[in-house]
Amino acid sequence: MKEQKIPKETIKRLPIYYRCLNRLVVLGKDTLSSTELSEYLGIKPTQIRKDLSYFGDFGTRGVGYDLRRLFKEIESILNLERTWNIAIAGISNIGCAIMDLLDFNHSGFNIVTAFDSNPNVVGNVVHGVTVHDLNDLKECTVEEPIDIGIIAVDPVDAREVANCLVDRGVGGIINFAPTLLNLPKEIEVVQMDLTSELGWLVFFIGNN
Amino acid sequence: MKEQKIPKETIKRLPIYYRCLNRLVVLGKDTLSSTELSEYLGIKPTQIRKDLSYFGDFGTRGVGYDLRRLFKEIESILNLERTWNIAIAGISNIGCAIMDLLDFNHSGFNIVTAFDSNPNVVGNVVHGVTVHDLNDLKECTVEEPIDIGIIAVDPVDAREVANCLVDRGVGGIINFAPTLLNLPKEIEVVQMDLTSELGWLVFFIGNN
DNA sequence: TATTTATTGTGATAACAAACACATAAATTT
DNA sequence: AAATTTATGTGTTTGTTATCACAATAAATA
Ligand SMILES: NC(=O)c1ccc[n+]([C@@H]2O[C@H](COP(=O)([O-])OP(=O)(O)OC[C@H]3O[C@@H](n4cnc5c(N)ncnc54)[C@H](O)[C@@H]3O)[C@@H](O)[C@H]2O)c1
Ligand SMILES: NC(=O)c1ccc[n+]([C@@H]2O[C@H](COP(=O)([O-])OP(=O)(O)OC[C@H]3O[C@@H](n4cnc5c(N)ncnc54)[C@H](O)[C@@H]3O)[C@@H](O)[C@H]2O)c1
């Protein structure tokens, strides 16, 4: 292992490895070769080894990887050892689905606050979290630090909500609304964009 | 414009251009330069021009692009002139959100069937579409051709549903379940994977 | 009409990422 | 203990994508 710039694409694969390893750990497996993992994931074994080699020598030649060890290594690389505080904006279909998902997984993602502008929704308790009004967020009534914001509000409101989240100090945002956010470049934004993906799919299908 | 291999990344940006152009058309704008579009999207103007140049000379030097013309060109490139038939599996939070979204946009995406395994949901009518039982899909009780399947079922059921969709002849699948699908390579699969994106985000935040 | 300004389109180059070939080393077999 | 098998780690090569520099051309101005 040498100090090298780590490809962005490598980082994007790590969570995929991580989830697969997690499943295999649960199944009680304890050694894993890159070829075997490759078969589960449809990612070439050389790619997997190269990705891992950026971070250290985790395997044993002739044997493979110790599954638990590798799992822990990736956990550490991705900063998943600590818990991360999440705020969700928009407690309708998508917002609820995310609360279900994160609560069920009891991953290191902790939903510390939820908010909505609809008075019929404000005050409800979902998965143990009280839904606040957007103004509470603005006025810092909610005291906990927020690491990540997830936006699941109406497209026209997404920008306003994003700005509030940034004011509250989030380091990154996941945006489900089909709205481009214009945020300072130190805030990392992930667009979860169904219609864009449909566009890609339809290009692909129509030309194959 | 010369015959060249078109980068995958270029195709992924086209839907982003498309949506932005759509909004600007609605606003009544009629000419647009790559620099201006660049400011809306945060994508460099040279990148935009290069992307478009793979498909033809759509602009006028010294002037820019005719907005409507460009919009129509991208529509044609992406095969968005025809309508596409969609089946949605899993009519709970995510499934309903998608039905709202596609119905509201009245994009060229037509939800022709929806299905679920829960007897309490089967038979309900959502946005004018009757929810069928999964077995109806298996037995081809639903007669319409399906171009694209969207999976929003429980992770453990995703693979089974994917196989049914492939048997029904879909060309591509969008999968919201955190489950890797092992499908023939001619079927294009898009994973909408929140937990992977959170992994990436947390790496980014933790190291910056 | 000549000059300047605005803006596109593109060949060339640079940056990035994947694939490959093979050296290395552990385990197993002969 | 030598040979074979298995599997990792990595320098090199190949392929892909983004950026740059600038030629081409239309419009506006002098
Ligand atoms: N990326 C995807 O895959 C995908 C799929 C479907 C829908 N969407 C998008 O996700 C978003 C949410 O969709 P949905 O169906 O869950 O929700 P919805 O459209 O049914 O409701 C939006 C919710 O946000 C709340 N809201 C609106 N403005 C707000 C504000 N300023 N502050 C706080 N809360 C506010 C509303 O009260 C409501 O509860 C929409 O933008 C939709 O277009 C994305
Ligand atoms: N990618 C993302 O951003 C994201 C976010 C949240 C949840 N999810 C995932 O999306 C999926 C759906 O989540 P949700 O909260 O909308 O749904 P849910 O988990 O509340 O319910 C799943 C639905 O699928 C139905 N179903 C189960 N098995 C089925 C089968 N074999 N055939 C047909 N229908 C079946 C159930 O009856 C139910 O209606 C889950 O897998 C969840 O993990 C993804």
Side-chain angles (χ1 to χ4, degrees):
Chain A
M1 176 210 180
K2 280 200 315 198
E3 272 313 313
Q4 263 183 283
K5 210 186 148 288
I6 294 153
K8 203 173 152 165
E9 298 301 313
T10 290
I11 308 297
K12 294 208 173 160
R13 282 186 291 270
L14 291 182
I16 297 168
Y17 301 159
Y18 183 71
R19 183 161 53 223
C20 186
L21 296 181
N22 186 38
R23 226 184 43 239
L24 295 173
V25 166
V26 169
L27 292 176
K29 204 166 157 48
D30 50 41
T31 298
L32 181 77
S33 73
S34 57
T35 307
E36 209 179 343
L37 184 57
S38 155
E39 281 154 11
Y40 290 121
L41 301 179
I43 296 171
K44 293 205 169 65
T46 52
Q47 181 73 81
I48 295 172
R49 292 204 299 277
K50 178 121 259 183
D51 285 343
L52 297 175
S53 79
Y54 289 108
F55 302 98
D57 296 1
F58 304 138
T60 309
R61 294 169 195 226
V63 180
Y65 298 91
D66 177 275
L67 184 44
R68 263 150 222 277
R69 156 98 195 280
L70 187 57
F71 179 73
K72 286 290 172 196
E73 294 286 2
I74 295 179
E75 187 161 78
S76 158
I77 294 162
L78 289 174
N79 296 309
L80 291 172
E81 283 161 328
R82 51 163 285 199
T83 63
W84 293 86
N85 286 346
I86 306 244
I88 303 191
I91 306 305
S92 178
N93 299 308
I94 299 270
C96 287
I98 293 167
M99 291 184 92
D100 286 358
L101 180 73
L102 296 184
D103 196 51
F104 178 76
N105 278 2
H106 42 86
S107 51
F109 296 103
N110 192 15
I111 301 165
V112 292
T113 179
F115 51 96
D116 202 296
S117 59
N118 183 341
N120 296 329
V121 177
V122 173
N124 291 358
V125 177
V126 187
H127 287 280
V129 179
T130 304
V131 179
H132 295 270
D133 191 275
L134 181 58
N135 289 318
D136 291 354
L137 190 83
K138 281 186 186 155
E139 292 158 15
C140 294
T141 311
V142 180
E143 282 300 333
E144 296 207 66
I146 304 171
D147 301 307
I148 293 171
I150 299 183
I151 298 177
V153 301
D154 199 84
V156 295
D157 296 306
R159 243 179 284 252
E160 186 200 3
V161 170
N163 293 332
C164 289
L165 287 166
V166 171
D167 291 343
R168 278 302 304 269
V170 300
I173 285 178
I174 295 195
N175 181 21
F176 280 83
T179 307
L180 279 148
L181 307 176
N182 209 343
L183 299 180
K185 67 174 183 324
E186 65 271 18
I187 310 290
E188 183 70 11
V189 176
V190 175
Q191 282 288 135
M192 297 289 283
D193 192 336
L194 178 65
T195 52
S196 276
E197 298 295 350
L198 281 172
W200 152 257
L201 210 50
V202 149
F203 175 88
F204 182 90
I205 296 173
N207 295 274
N208 284 284
Chain B
M1 177 211 175
K2 281 201 316 198
E3 272 313 314
Q4 264 181 283
K5 208 188 150 282
I6 294 152
K8 202 172 155 168
E9 297 302 313
T10 290
I11 307 298
K12 294 206 173 163
R13 280 185 292 269
L14 291 181
I16 297 168
Y17 302 159
Y18 183 72
R19 182 160 55 220
C20 186
L21 296 180
N22 186 38
R23 225 183 45 238
L24 295 172
V25 167
V26 170
L27 292 175
K29 202 166 160 51
D30 51 41
T31 298
L32 182 76
S33 73
S34 57
T35 307
E36 210 179 344
L37 184 57
S38 154
E39 281 155 11
Y40 290 120
L41 301 179
I43 296 172
K44 293 205 170 64
T46 51
Q47 179 75 81
I48 294 173
R49 294 205 298 278
K50 180 115 243 185
D51 285 342
L52 296 174
S53 79
Y54 289 109
F55 302 98
D57 294 1
F58 304 137
T60 310
R61 292 167 195 230
V63 181
Y65 298 91
D66 177 275
L67 185 45
R68 264 148 222 280
R69 157 98 195 282
L70 186 57
F71 179 73
K72 285 291 173 197
E73 293 286 1
I74 295 179
E75 187 161 79
S76 159
I77 294 162
L78 289 176
N79 297 308
L80 292 172
E81 283 160 328
R82 51 162 287 199
T83 62
W84 293 86
N85 287 345
I86 306 243
I88 303 192
I91 308 304
S92 178
N93 299 308
I94 299 270
C96 287
I98 293 168
M99 293 184 91
D100 287 358
L101 181 73
L102 296 184
D103 196 52
F104 178 77
N105 278 3
H106 42 87
S107 51
F109 296 103
N110 193 15
I111 300 164
V112 293
T113 180
F115 50 97
D116 202 296
S117 59
N118 183 341
N120 296 329
V121 177
V122 173
N124 291 358
V125 177
V126 186
H127 288 279
V129 179
T130 304
V131 179
H132 294 271
D133 191 275
L134 181 59
N135 289 319
D136 292 353
L137 190 85
K138 281 187 187 156
E139 290 157 16
C140 294
T141 311
V142 180
E143 282 300 332
E144 296 207 66
I146 304 171
D147 301 307
I148 293 170
I150 300 183
I151 298 177
V153 301
D154 199 85
V156 295
D157 296 305
R159 243 178 284 253
E160 185 199 4
V161 169
N163 293 331
C164 289
L165 287 166
V166 171
D167 291 344
R168 279 301 304 271
V170 299
I173 286 178
I174 295 196
N175 182 21
F176 280 82
T179 307
L180 279 148
L181 306 177
N182 209 344
L183 299 179
K185 69 175 183 319
E186 65 271 19
I187 311 289
E188 182 70 11
V189 177
V190 175
Q191 281 288 136
M192 299 289 283
D193 192 337
L194 177 64
T195 51
S196 277
E197 298 296 349
L198 280 173
W200 153 257
L201 209 52
V202 149
F203 175 87
F204 181 89
I205 297 174
N207 295 274
N208 283 283

